[in-house]
Amino acid sequence: MAESVETAQKSSNEAPSFLNFKCEEETEASIQEKKRAEMLKHLGDLNNARLQQSQSRKSETLSAPVFESVETFLKRFSQTKQKILKALDEYLEKGDNQERTLVKSGLETLRAEIADLEKLVAEGSYFLPSYEVRAARNTIAELKERLDDANSKLLPKKKFSFRNKVSKPNPKMIEEKPSTENNEKNVIGKNNFFVYDAPGFRNRDGVVLVKDLNLSKDGDFALSDLVDCKVYLRGGLRALFIHRLKGCQVFAGPVMGSVLIEEAENCVFVLASHQIRIHQTVNTDFYLRVRSRPIVEYTSNVRFAPYALFYRGIDEELQKSDLKDETGMWANVDDFRWLRAVASPNWSIVPEADRLPLVDISDIKAEETALP
């Protein structure tokens, strides 16, 4: 009996300790649950805020139909682009017959307008299809290039003494220059891309023209007013200018800078360069290795394929010109006058079955001969 009372008293003394421990456990669990609830509420509030912000942006963007927005963008973009191109053409046509300060101010204004176009594209990228954004950015890059070309022609720097060395007469260059009657007074082409006083082949009909070039000695080279000719250019160049060719085949080694083509018809070009720009050209095939997208403008029925030329030493020259690697850019053509959603109908890829085989010009003599 005494033992039972003692056990009961002992159990009674231990009870408060157990209850205290249980209460502490419940209090800690309650705190954790409360913290968890607060965290979930905070995350929910953040999510709701993001949704509201997103909905607000969407409402602002969709206040007008997307199609209307794209139409408006393209119209405004095209108008500004044409305005800039027209202004550049006017400055270039006047040439030296205008005040240098006015030219400088005008070109700076055009640079600011191109910057505004960039801003317009950035603002419109939220609703514009990705292909429209890419096309607009490529157009802006082309406008910048044209502006830089105009700036270098109209506001040339006077520190490049090596230009004088290139222009020094030598017998080879004199032989290759056209007669005064056919030289059209050495004027520059209407789009000002073509330097007529550069050495080159001009005013030939039905002949084979072969030239061995050296990048360290030869700078620019021009092909102009050729009909039914085959042209073989071995070696490297800084730039190649091609103007008014009809029914010709042109095979050229690496060009360190640009190849600029205007008014070609029913021709075949096999070219390697860092950049190529093609204007007013029809029914012509291009076999290219390029470092950037080929640019076409006012062209139709032009086709593209990979570079297909060989001669002894070409690998080393391609390496020196940073054109050793095949980039695949020959198939990534940018039609400067085509900003629609669908692909440009003005160019295509040459089917593999129709492509030229590798052309070896190693043993062709460096002389002018008549075609058989």
Side-chain angles (χ1 to χ4, degrees):
M1 182 71 177
E3 289 181 2
S4 298
V5 172
E6 186 178 353
T7 302
Q9 288 177 346
K10 186 176 180 182
S11 299
S12 177
N13 292 335
E14 290 176 352
S17 173
F18 173 76
L19 290 174
N20 289 339
F21 178 74
K22 187 174 182 182
C23 288
E24 287 176 4
E25 273 192 336
E26 289 177 352
T27 302
E28 186 176 350
S30 176
I31 292 172
Q32 293 296 329
E33 186 65 28
K34 184 178 180 181
K35 287 182 178 179
R36 183 171 179 275
E38 288 175 351
M39 182 180 68
L40 290 175
K41 182 177 182 301
H42 178 65
L43 292 175
D45 291 341
L46 287 176
N47 188 52
N48 289 334
R50 281 195 295 268
L51 289 174
Q52 289 176 2
Q53 188 177 10
S54 176
Q55 188 63 35
S56 176
R57 285 198 305 265
K58 189 175 181 181
S59 298
E60 290 173 4
T61 304
L62 297 180
S63 58
V66 171
F67 178 76
E68 266 186 35
S69 300
V70 174
E71 280 288 299
T72 302
F73 170 86
L74 290 177
K75 182 177 180 181
R76 181 179 170 187
F77 188 91
S78 180
Q79 288 174 346
T80 305
K81 179 190 72 174
Q82 296 300 335
K83 177 185 173 184
I84 293 170
L85 289 173
K86 183 180 178 182
L88 282 173
D89 286 342
E90 288 175 355
Y91 280 119
L92 288 166
E93 283 175 9
K94 292 177 182 177
D96 295 332
N97 300 323
Q98 49 193 332
E99 280 191 41
R100 185 181 176 90
T101 54
L102 293 178
V103 173
K104 186 174 181 180
S105 174
L107 294 182
E108 287 303 318
T109 299
L110 293 180
R111 195 175 296 280
E113 290 184 5
I114 294 174
D116 289 341
L117 269 187
E118 282 189 295
K119 183 179 179 183
L120 179 66
V121 174
E123 291 173 349
S125 62
Y126 184 76
F127 64 86
L128 285 172
S130 58
Y131 50 79
E132 298 290 5
V133 175
R134 287 196 302 271
R137 286 173 178 166
N138 289 331
T139 297
I140 288 170
E142 173 71 6
L143 288 173
K144 286 181 177 179
E145 258 186 61
R146 291 193 173 199
L147 180 61
D148 289 340
D149 288 343
N151 197 78
S152 64
K153 289 181 175 70
L154 298 172
L155 303 171
K157 297 179 180 179
K158 300 179 181 180
K159 296 180 180 179
F160 297 98
S161 59
F162 68 88
R163 294 293 294 179
N164 295 329
K165 293 179 182 178
V166 172
S167 62
K168 284 182 180 179
N170 64 57
K172 291 183 179 179
M173 288 172 59
I174 291 172
E175 287 176 6
E176 290 166 355
K177 286 189 178 180
S179 65
T180 305
E181 294 178 2
N182 295 324
N183 195 26
E184 299 178 0
K185 296 181 181 180
N186 287 330
V187 295
I188 297 177
K190 63 183 178 181
N191 284 331
N192 296 280
F193 293 137
F194 303 96
V195 182
Y196 280 74
D197 60 355
F201 295 127
R202 298 174 174 83
N203 302 297
R204 306 288 211 280
D205 190 342
V207 295
V208 178
L209 302 165
V210 185
K211 179 71 175 175
D212 288 319
L213 301 161
N214 189 315
L215 182 60
S216 62
K217 297 178 182 178
D218 300 292
D220 303 340
F221 200 80
L223 304 175
S224 178
D225 298 289
L226 305 180
V227 179
D228 296 329
C229 293
K230 287 186 177 181
V231 181
Y232 302 100
L233 303 177
R234 291 183 294 240
L237 280 170
R238 184 175 58 232
L240 177 61
F241 305 96
I242 299 172
H243 191 208
R244 288 200 298 260
L245 268 62
K246 184 178 291 187
C248 294
Q249 297 180 25
V250 177
F251 303 85
V255 178
M256 181 71 77
S258 297
V259 175
L260 308 174
I261 299 174
E262 184 169 295
E263 296 184 48
E265 181 180 351
N266 298 321
C267 294
V268 174
F269 293 99
V270 183
L271 307 166
S273 68
H274 281 244
Q275 183 187 65
I276 182 166
R277 293 155 65 184
I278 304 160
H279 302 260
Q280 296 178 303
T281 295
V282 296
N283 304 327
T284 295
D285 288 348
F286 294 89
Y287 293 78
L288 305 179
R289 179 172 296 179
V290 284
R291 298 278 296 173
S292 60
R293 293 162 62 103
I295 295 170
V296 300
E297 185 175 14
Y298 296 119
T299 64
S300 62
N301 194 30
V302 293
R303 306 189 305 173
F304 293 84
Y307 194 53
L309 183 67
F310 175 80
Y311 56 83
R312 285 184 290 275
I314 190 173
D315 289 338
E316 291 79 4
E317 290 168 0
L318 288 168
Q319 184 74 44
K320 289 179 183 177
S321 301
D322 197 20
L323 290 166
K324 179 69 173 177
D325 298 328
E326 172 57 74
T327 63
M329 294 299 287
W330 60 268
N332 195 10
V333 180
D334 182 15
D335 189 340
F336 190 64
R337 294 286 170 177
W338 189 264
L339 282 178
R340 300 185 189 177
V342 296
S344 169
N346 298 318
W347 68 274
S348 61
I349 302 297
V350 180
E352 288 192 20
D354 297 339
R355 294 177 186 175
L356 288 176
L358 187 67
V359 180
D360 188 350
I361 63 172
S362 300
D363 298 321
I364 298 176
K365 293 183 179 179
E367 60 184 17
E368 180 177 332
T369 57
L371 281 169

